[in-house]
Amino acid sequence: MSQARIEQAVSAWGQSLGKTLTHCDGSCAKPKVEGMLTRMVGLTLETEGCQAPIGARCDVVTPGGQTVETEVVGFAGEKLYLMPTSDIRGLVPNSRVIPTNHSSAVKVGPELLGRVIDGRGRPLDGKGPIQTSHVVPLEGREINPLSRTPIREALDVGVRAINALTSIGRGQRMGLFAGSGVGKSVLLGMMTKYTEADIVVVGLIGERGREVREFVQEILGAQGLKKSVVVAAPADASPLMRIHGAMQATSIAEYYRDQGKNVLLLMDSLTRFAQAQREISLAIGEPPATKGYPPSVFARLPQLVERAGNGEQQGGSITAFYTVLVEGDDHNDPIADSARAILDGHIVLSRQLAESGQYPAIDIEASISRLAPQIMSAENMQRVQFFRRYYSLYQQNRDLINVGAYQPGSDPEVDLSIRLQPLLMEFLSQDMNQAVSLEQSYGLLQHLMDSQIQAQDGPVANAIAEQDQMPVDGSRG
């Protein structure tokens, strides 16, 4: 074929295509440009020949017709980095990669109550499909911080030690720091059943599959499940699915908050979410910065946590508890440090207390609620300070007391801490099947502190009275 005939054919084809586009008037969909799978390293898929934005979904089609859903997590030059959300068995080189140009979304609605779903919103409880009528973005929506309702109302979680000593406000975000096997799942179950909330959303992220069933059937129970939504992305799920599970649980909580509901969000655990993000970041080549964690991990944590809290004026609230797994009981772990900085307080579970038989094993010395002064009365705050003072004083002298090196009468305050110790430990202990209301917790704290401290005669009472009368600068009036 001569060059002239080729140019003539190309010109005719161009004119025909131009006429077609003119008749479409912009209503015709643009043709999809497919790519090709060129490389796979670990769980990271590399593709060439197509373009898609970060967060967009791509379908990888195997020669046998099987479709593997993936998400764009990075790019370099003409290459796209994909992370699968499902099983990747059956993929071969040069598989077709079809961008869908759709970002992940979450189906929400009242139909979710009482259901257990996975990180993609599919039911896991065998109760049939979930027909929902609303869709919200997986990433949520940003709320102006000046538009959020201030936290001024105390929340009853049904646990005496938390209610009285680390009071939590409705809309607060708390961390539950614990090692393995110290009772964090049991404490989460108690708060799930006893907290005053309209809706409970539970995110089980990166946990063992056995624990998912135990939490739903034994800890949560049929009664607690009625007002709950459980999102489970166990440890064997892909890193992207674990991230989606945490974000999906938050999106569901946001939906109910926007309906004016008071939501309790329990996420177990924030550490597994961070580890999933670390796996993805390292797989696409991001260099590690702090003990193997890339910088993007510490950027994703506040993006997730800041979505909880109170909504806009006259709206609902999300009170969130995030468990943080301190491996080897190292509370200086990078994730634990970062979580403490972005949360509104933390409750620490002690392995030593758990081994001594105290449940819940809450370490009052290390636990704090940053909003307690704003939601508690001045009298209750003074009682909490007294409680912590004598509890800590006993712990500081515990070794001397146990070996008999301390002589009674040497220090009146230490003597008082010894007399108070059994009462303080009894106050901190609570059966998992028992609920203690906020009023009962404050009442018992008042009875304990007023009767045991304010009624004391002699040097201790005088020293406390003198200290209360001292000005802020420390000088005497």
Side-chain angles (χ1 to χ4, degrees):
M1 182 180 294
S2 65
Q3 184 66 26
R5 295 184 63 183
I6 295 177
E7 293 177 355
Q8 183 180 4
V10 170
S11 176
W13 179 82
Q15 293 176 1
S16 176
L17 182 59
K19 293 179 180 179
T20 303
L21 293 177
T22 301
H23 285 92
C24 284
D25 293 329
S27 61
C28 297
K30 295 182 179 180
K32 291 184 178 180
V33 179
E34 298 182 3
M36 186 171 55
L37 184 64
T38 58
R39 188 168 182 256
M40 173 179 173
V41 179
L43 291 177
T44 306
L45 309 178
E46 294 184 10
T47 182
E48 294 182 359
C50 61
Q51 293 184 350
I54 295 293
R57 289 176 50 190
C58 293
D59 293 335
V60 182
V61 182
T62 66
Q66 177 187 359
T67 300
V68 177
E69 292 185 1
T70 64
E71 183 176 303
V72 180
V73 295
F75 57 85
E78 299 297 326
K79 295 181 180 179
L80 287 181
Y81 296 133
L82 311 178
M83 188 66 63
T85 61
S86 58
D87 191 8
I88 59 175
R89 285 179 294 183
L91 291 183
V92 297
N94 301 325
S95 294
R96 295 167 55 202
V97 178
I98 307 174
T100 63
N101 295 326
H102 293 126
S103 58
S104 298
V106 181
K107 296 180 179 180
V108 294
E111 298 83 3
L112 288 175
L113 286 179
R115 302 303 300 267
V116 182
I117 59 178
D118 65 3
R120 300 166 65 187
R122 299 175 303 184
L124 296 174
D125 49 14
K127 298 180 180 179
I130 304 175
Q131 303 295 336
T132 57
S133 54
H134 297 84
V135 176
V136 296
L138 184 66
E139 298 80 10
R141 65 179 183 89
E142 185 178 354
I143 298 179
N144 188 331
L146 297 181
S147 300
R148 289 183 182 266
T149 305
I151 299 174
R152 294 294 182 268
E153 180 185 356
L155 177 68
D156 185 1
V157 299
V159 181
R160 180 169 52 233
I162 298 177
N163 277 343
L165 303 177
T166 57
S167 294
I168 296 170
R170 192 177 297 278
Q172 191 169 345
R173 299 159 304 185
M174 292 288 291
L176 185 60
F177 291 69
S180 57
V182 295
K184 61 180 175 61
S185 297
V186 176
L187 182 57
L188 283 179
M190 292 175 64
M191 290 189 291
T192 303
K193 291 186 289 186
Y194 305 143
T195 298
E196 288 187 348
D198 301 322
I199 305 293
V200 178
V201 180
V202 182
L204 301 177
I205 311 302
E207 296 300 316
R208 293 179 288 271
R210 172 186 59 82
E211 291 185 338
V212 174
R213 180 169 183 173
E214 289 181 356
F215 186 91
V216 172
Q217 295 185 352
E218 300 177 12
I219 297 178
L220 189 59
Q223 190 66 27
L225 188 60
K226 290 182 179 179
K227 66 171 185 178
S228 304
V229 181
V230 180
V231 181
D236 60 344
S238 68
L240 192 61
M241 283 293 291
R242 280 175 266 154
I243 291 178
H244 281 191
M247 298 174 68
Q248 181 170 233
T250 307
S251 295
I252 294 173
E254 287 176 323
Y255 165 76
Y256 285 112
R257 178 187 63 188
D258 294 342
Q259 303 298 314
K261 304 292 186 180
N262 293 317
V263 183
L264 175 66
L265 172 62
L266 304 176
M267 189 166 296
D268 186 14
S269 70
L270 194 64
T271 304
R272 303 303 187 196
F273 172 82
Q275 290 174 346
Q277 179 62 36
R278 177 178 64 178
E279 292 179 39
I280 294 176
S281 300
L282 293 177
I284 63 177
E286 185 179 358
T290 306
K291 292 187 178 180
Y293 286 95
S296 62
V297 174
F298 303 102
R300 290 296 292 269
L301 287 177
Q303 291 176 1
L304 179 70
V305 171
E306 283 294 327
R307 294 171 60 182
N310 283 341
E312 298 173 343
Q313 300 292 339
Q314 309 301 324
S317 66
I318 300 177
T319 306
F321 285 87
Y322 300 93
T323 65
V324 179
L325 180 62
V326 286
E327 299 182 2
D329 295 334
D330 180 15
H331 290 270
N332 294 320
D333 178 82
I335 300 302
D337 265 343
S338 179
R340 272 193 297 267
I342 61 179
L343 293 171
D344 300 324
H346 50 271
I347 298 171
V348 178
L349 300 187
S350 167
R351 185 175 301 278
Q352 181 181 2
L353 293 176
E355 291 174 348
S356 67
Q358 177 185 323
Y359 287 98
I362 298 176
D363 186 352
I364 291 300
E365 290 183 287
S367 304
I368 189 172
S369 172
R370 295 178 179 174
L371 293 174
Q374 302 179 22
I375 59 178
M376 295 178 65
S377 65
E379 294 79 8
N380 281 332
M381 278 300 301
Q382 187 179 37
R383 296 183 185 107
V384 170
Q385 291 170 358
F386 282 148
F387 189 106
R388 290 177 177 271
R389 176 180 181 178
Y390 289 106
Y391 180 88
S392 179
L393 189 60
Y394 180 87
Q395 299 302 323
Q396 293 171 10
N397 295 275
R398 182 176 181 176
D399 293 339
L400 293 177
I401 297 171
N402 289 340
V403 300
Y406 174 76
Q407 296 297 324
S410 301
D411 188 333
E413 289 203 333
V414 176
D415 292 340
L416 180 56
S417 70
I418 295 175
R419 292 195 297 271
L420 284 175
Q421 182 63 15
L423 297 175
L424 302 185
M425 298 304 294
E426 183 179 358
F427 183 89
L428 295 175
S429 301
Q430 182 177 332
D431 186 83
M432 64 174 293
N433 297 316
Q434 175 191 13
V436 181
S437 69
L438 194 66
E439 292 75 15
Q440 291 174 331
S441 302
Y442 285 150
L444 185 56
L445 179 67
Q446 177 182 357
H447 174 74
L448 177 63
M449 294 294 97
D450 291 354
S451 61
Q452 297 296 327
I453 295 178
Q454 295 180 4
Q456 292 296 320
D457 296 325
V460 174
N462 294 334
I464 293 174
E466 291 180 5
Q467 188 180 53
D468 290 342
Q469 295 174 1
M470 290 176 62
V472 176
D473 60 3
S475 61
R476 296 184 179 274

